[in-house]
Amino acid sequence: MNRYKGSLPKIGIRPTIDGRRLGVRESLEEQTMNMAQAVKALFESEIRHADGSPVEVVIADSTIGGVAESAACAYKFERENVGVSLTVTPCWCYGSETIDMTPGVPKAIWGFNGTERPGAVYLAAALAGHTQKGIPAFGIYGRDVQDSDDRSVPEDVQEKLLRFAKAGLAVATMRGKSYLSLGYVSMGIAGSEVDSAFFQNYLGMRTEFVDMSEVKRRLELDIYDKEEFEKALAWTKENCKEGEDPNPELELVGADEEACVVTGANGLATARRSEAGSTTHRRNDEEKEEIWKTCVKMALIGKDLMIGNPKLEELGYGEEALGRNALAGGFQGQRQWTDFMPNGDYMEAILASSFDWNGPRQPFNFATENDSLNAVVMMFGNLLTGTAQMFSDVRTYWSPEAVKEATGKELEGSAKNGIIHLINSGPSALDFTGRQRVNGEPAVKPFWELDEKEVQDCLDNTTWRAGVEEYFRGSGYSTEFYTEGGMPITMSRVNLVKGLGPVLQIAEGHTVELDDDMNRTLADRTNPTWPTTWFVPRVTGKGAFTDVYSVMANWGANHGAISYGHIGADLITLASMLRIPVCMHNVPDEKVFRPSAWNAFGMDKEGADYRACENFGPLY
């Protein structure tokens, strides 16, 4: 179900044809329309929107032989909310008379590789026209010659068609949506300095700024659905099991609260008070009950702020019921909130997961510490795959030598050359426990493919531990889990560079598992209450992928977004549509698919990407 304002974008197919009548056009009508129908069937069988809805494909009312029919097609596509445009043809057509000139809509052309009519010649001529006019388009041309009556779509053509269509739909879906900034800069993290110009010019999105006091107001005035709260709280009590409290015990000595000792995990007694004057200690059961209630209410409020809730209008809060039409968002939390209120870990983890108390549902792209640039790549990954995305600190590179020194054991298998510790300060999507299955292997699946057992397995393998009050003085609950090994994953990140603009980083690899003792020893050195994923990127022996250490050393920020599967090629295609150059990736050359105009900017593909993006400028 589409939870955002407006209709979902559609894919439009433009069957172009040689306009000469009295024999030529007539002989090509059936073949041309068959190409369009074959692609329509492919898209409808293989692509869904991120909300699970099947994609709708619109074909022009007639083949397009000249400018009048091009205009008629453009008018139809505008009425039908077409956000992605594909032209198909088996033959020569009149180039600039038949190409799609609509600005801002991703475009591609499939020119049939046949010998009877020169489809490849039109493809080349039309792409040259697109490049000359500054309207980049993707060129698709099969490797093998096909017979004119062959209605199949070759595998290599299918791969490019699907990559283009998925990326194009992501572009169209972002347009007009919002990024919701709950609070602003967290602990000086640059990514939480939300850049409205970047969102507007590159993504076509608004930025909505809401102070965290709005969350406090809704908590105090009970501005949330109370029936849903009771349902959510009961579900949480049943499914979110508490782990060991990491906070020290507190003993009062005499009647004066000033005279207290805290017994730490090592058994030593130390006196401790926070700067605010409240003692850091383990909360009692009554306090924890209230903290859980606040955490659950915050999750409801966060969701309502993102997409609205008609139930709030029934409570007399019509404005609040509307929401912010936010496709992505983030919560500042630290420190102005977490120094006195329960942290946002439960809210962030549950919103980012593909299920909650209402069952499986579309994940929210919701970032810790309001890191908007990490939220952007979470959004990219979700729109391309339909799956939940994991927000992580790219925390530590562990060399084989350092691991042996710390644990007395050696890394083995795919981890033998070192690992990267992905861990977030409290929340991550519960899907990344890795307890879902595809062909019997650990996976993260789109929410519409989840079954009850997979949801329950994710919950059963997650422990909720009280927030460490050295960090979170207002307490809260953080997720502890360990991701199963053997999952293909892609880590990505957008960074902003003064004078250059946004750049994208991509690292494909796999998760690995360590034995229990090794895992516990290494994870506990950081924080035992936070979710851990051990990552081994695929190395190439060159540049930023010389080895595992090089990947860590070249990563451009403290955070990364992790998506299930190797989606680096899809991200590269999407980035080229938005004019965001890729500064680091380990995607094989044969998988890189960008507009044909990029070929005119030099033979070094990555340098050409930078020059083309600068030349054509942001999409909006």
Side-chain angles (χ1 to χ4, degrees):
M1 182 183 71
N2 180 19
R3 61 194 184 194
Y4 299 100
K5 310 303 179 187
S7 60
L8 293 169
K10 301 175 185 177
I11 301 175
I13 300 179
R14 310 171 68 257
T16 57
I17 198 167
D18 190 325
R20 289 172 285 195
R21 310 258 178 170
L22 302 178
V24 176
R25 179 168 184 159
E26 292 82 353
S27 70
L28 292 164
E29 287 281 359
E30 182 178 0
Q31 183 185 7
T32 305
M33 272 298 184
N34 283 342
M35 284 182 70
Q37 291 293 344
V39 177
K40 180 177 187 288
L42 173 69
F43 286 162
E44 291 177 340
S45 65
E46 296 292 331
I47 301 176
R48 288 199 190 197
H49 292 283
D51 71 349
S53 302
V55 67
E56 291 187 61
V57 181
V58 177
I59 299 177
D61 291 333
S62 70
T63 54
I64 299 169
V67 68
E69 290 153 328
S70 289
C73 176
Y75 179 59
K76 178 178 183 176
F77 282 9
E78 184 178 7
R79 295 196 319 269
E80 294 280 353
N81 192 32
V82 166
V84 187
S85 173
L86 172 69
T87 298
V88 299
T89 188
C91 61
W92 169 253
C93 316
Y94 301 157
S96 61
E97 295 182 20
T98 57
I99 63 174
D100 187 347
M101 301 280 285
T102 309
V105 174
K107 302 168 183 60
I109 303 172
W110 173 26
F112 186 80
N113 186 356
T115 56
E116 289 78 8
R117 301 284 184 178
V121 177
Y122 170 75
L123 173 64
L127 290 175
H130 274 287
T131 300
Q132 185 172 324
K133 295 175 184 296
I135 310 172
F138 292 78
I140 301 172
Y141 180 60
R143 178 173 290 275
D144 298 318
V145 172
Q146 293 180 259
D147 294 332
S148 60
D149 60 353
D150 185 351
R151 297 188 178 186
S152 68
V153 182
E155 286 189 12
D156 61 324
V157 173
Q158 287 188 36
E159 182 179 358
K160 289 183 176 179
L161 285 170
L162 292 172
R163 180 156 294 138
F164 163 76
K166 289 177 182 179
L169 282 173
V171 171
T173 302
M174 287 185 280
R175 188 181 302 123
K177 305 299 191 303
S178 304
Y179 177 84
L180 173 62
S181 174
L182 271 176
Y184 196 53
V185 179
S186 175
M187 301 183 294
I189 294 172
S192 59
E193 295 180 10
V194 183
D195 189 318
S196 296
F198 162 67
F199 278 91
Q200 176 184 325
N201 296 335
Y202 286 89
L203 309 181
M205 294 177 64
R206 300 171 181 269
T207 44
E208 292 288 296
F209 296 91
V210 177
D211 193 85
M212 290 183 292
S213 61
E214 174 64 7
V215 179
K216 190 75 164 65
R217 182 180 78 95
R218 295 191 185 202
L219 285 170
E220 292 186 357
L221 300 183
D222 294 338
I223 306 176
Y224 52 84
D225 182 344
K226 296 176 184 60
E227 289 184 10
E228 185 175 11
F229 165 68
E230 294 297 337
K231 179 180 181 180
L233 183 62
W235 178 87
T236 299
K237 288 181 176 180
E238 181 179 353
N239 294 287
C240 298
K241 61 183 180 183
E242 282 192 48
E244 181 184 355
D245 192 328
N247 294 296
E249 295 278 7
L250 176 144
E251 298 178 26
L252 291 180
V253 181
D256 187 357
E257 186 182 340
E258 291 287 343
C260 65
V261 295
V262 178
T263 305
N266 58 6
L268 299 177
T270 56
R272 301 171 66 182
R273 291 184 64 82
S274 72
E275 292 175 8
S278 62
T279 306
T280 301
H281 67 285
R282 185 174 298 184
R283 307 295 178 113
N284 62 39
D285 290 345
E286 186 177 329
E287 289 174 310
K288 288 182 177 182
E289 174 73 13
E290 291 305 310
I291 290 167
W292 267 120
K293 289 180 180 179
T294 299
C295 290
V296 173
K297 291 174 185 177
M298 286 172 64
L300 293 174
I301 291 167
K303 181 176 67 169
D304 292 348
L305 283 162
M306 291 278 284
I307 62 171
N309 186 344
K311 288 291 185 72
L312 300 187
E313 186 163 16
E314 298 174 13
L315 299 174
Y317 295 99
E319 184 179 359
E320 290 83 349
L322 297 174
R324 301 287 174 151
N325 201 36
L327 188 58
F331 181 64
Q332 175 195 329
Q334 297 187 78
R335 294 202 10 231
Q336 284 75 11
W337 180 272
T338 57
D339 274 6
F340 80 108
M341 289 291 292
N343 62 31
D345 290 359
Y346 178 88
M347 171 176 63
E348 294 161 20
I350 291 298
L351 290 182
S353 299
S354 56
F355 52 84
D356 61 16
W357 44 88
N358 292 316
R361 53 101 175 104
Q362 183 180 357
F364 290 85
N365 305 301
F366 202 72
T368 301
E369 293 156 358
N370 197 32
D371 187 342
S372 61
L373 299 180
N374 223 51
V376 164
V377 280
M378 292 174 74
M379 178 175 63
F380 288 174
N382 174 247
L383 292 176
L384 290 170
T385 68
T387 60
Q389 306 294 298
M390 183 170 74
F391 185 111
S392 279
D393 281 6
V394 186
R395 181 64 71 115
T396 310
Y397 164 70
W398 279 98
S399 68
E401 296 78 13
V403 170
K404 187 171 183 180
E405 175 70 22
T407 68
K409 298 182 178 181
E410 294 188 356
L411 292 171
E412 298 177 346
S414 58
K416 65 181 180 181
N417 293 317
I419 51 178
I420 293 176
H421 192 186
L422 303 178
I423 182 171
N424 196 28
S425 51
S428 280
L430 274 56
D431 302 69
F432 278 85
T433 55
R435 301 293 166 164
Q436 301 161 24
R437 291 292 181 266
V438 171
N439 298 323
E441 298 296 325
V444 176
K445 295 161 65 173
F447 74 92
W448 59 84
E449 295 180 4
L450 290 180
D451 59 41
E452 289 184 13
K453 182 180 183 304
E454 289 172 320
V455 171
Q456 196 61 50
D457 284 348
C458 291
L459 289 163
D460 290 345
N461 284 277
T462 302
T463 300
W464 297 84
R465 300 184 66 177
V468 177
E469 296 203 15
E470 286 183 340
Y471 289 105
F472 306 124
R473 296 173 185 170
S475 191
Y477 281 93
S478 302
T479 53
E480 179 191 19
F481 63 72
Y482 298 94
T483 303
E484 279 201 44
M487 286 204 306
I489 61 173
T490 302
M491 182 168 74
S492 61
R493 168 76 186 187
V494 164
N495 294 304
L496 295 180
V497 182
K498 185 174 176 61
L500 175 62
V503 295
L504 176 66
Q505 295 182 290
I506 299 166
E508 294 183 339
H510 287 80
T511 62
V512 295
E513 282 185 68
L514 308 181
D515 72 44
D516 289 343
D517 290 341
M518 187 184 295
N519 183 64
R520 188 81 264 174
T521 299
L522 299 184
D524 284 0
R525 287 175 64 122
T526 301
N527 191 299
T529 72
W530 296 346
T532 279
T533 301
W534 301 109
F535 175 50
V536 176
R538 186 177 64 245
V539 297
T540 64
K542 298 179 181 178
F545 292 91
T546 299
D547 51 23
V548 178
Y549 168 80
S550 299
V551 176
M552 178 77 183
N554 282 276
W555 204 250
N558 55 315
H559 294 148
I562 289 78
S563 185
Y564 171 74
H566 289 159
I567 66 165
D570 296 327
L571 287 167
I572 289 173
T573 296
L574 172 58
S576 68
M577 292 177 177
L578 301 170
R579 317 291 189 256
I580 298 174
V582 179
C583 64
M584 172 180 167
H585 75 81
N586 59 346
V587 176
D589 284 348
E590 64 272 15
K591 298 289 186 182
V592 174
F593 186 41
R594 293 181 171 121
S596 66
W598 269 233
N599 298 327
F601 289 87
M603 294 178 63
D604 57 320
K605 284 189 175 182
E606 306 319 315
D609 183 32
Y610 272 79
R611 292 185 286 273
C613 288
E614 180 182 16
N615 180 73
F616 292 112
L619 184 59
Y620 302 102

